[in-house]
Amino acid sequence: NTYLKLLEKPSLADILVQVIAWVLGEYARLATVDGYNIDDIIDLLCDCVDRPFEDMATRGYLVSALMKLMAQHRMKSGAV
């Protein structure tokens, strides 16, 4: 729950974004957050990909999380 709300902030430390991306990529399917479904989580991750990061690996964590979510749910999202 907290990770999703943090991800909505415009600026976060790279290491925090990396941790959030990993956790969401692994466990978002278990999320039971009011007001968030998998499409919302995918949209949040897609929005984050366009942010500036100091560490280029951060974008890789985000893309990896997106790929995991798409593979797990076999869905098509207009955001990706």
Side-chain angles (χ1 to χ4, degrees):
N1 301 348
T2 303
Y3 284 157
L4 293 172
K5 294 190 187 310
L6 279 174
L7 207 55
E8 292 177 344
K9 292 186 177 186
S11 179
L12 292 172
D14 282 19
I15 189 69
L16 185 55
V17 175
Q18 291 173 5
V19 169
I20 291 171
W22 183 85
V23 169
L24 291 177
E26 294 294 324
Y27 300 108
R29 68 187 179 282
L30 303 175
T32 57
V33 181
D34 292 334
Y36 289 98
N37 60 31
I38 294 299
D39 286 331
D40 296 328
I41 295 171
I42 289 171
D43 287 341
L44 277 172
L45 291 171
C46 285
D47 291 342
C48 288
V49 169
D50 294 330
R51 294 180 185 174
F53 296 109
E54 291 179 20
D55 184 358
M56 293 301 291
T58 304
R59 194 164 281 110
Y61 277 82
L62 291 166
V63 171
S64 178
L66 284 164
M67 299 305 274
K68 288 178 184 179
L69 290 175
M70 297 302 288
Q72 291 169 3
H73 296 286
R74 298 177 190 203
M75 60 175 36
K76 293 183 179 180
S77 175
V80 177

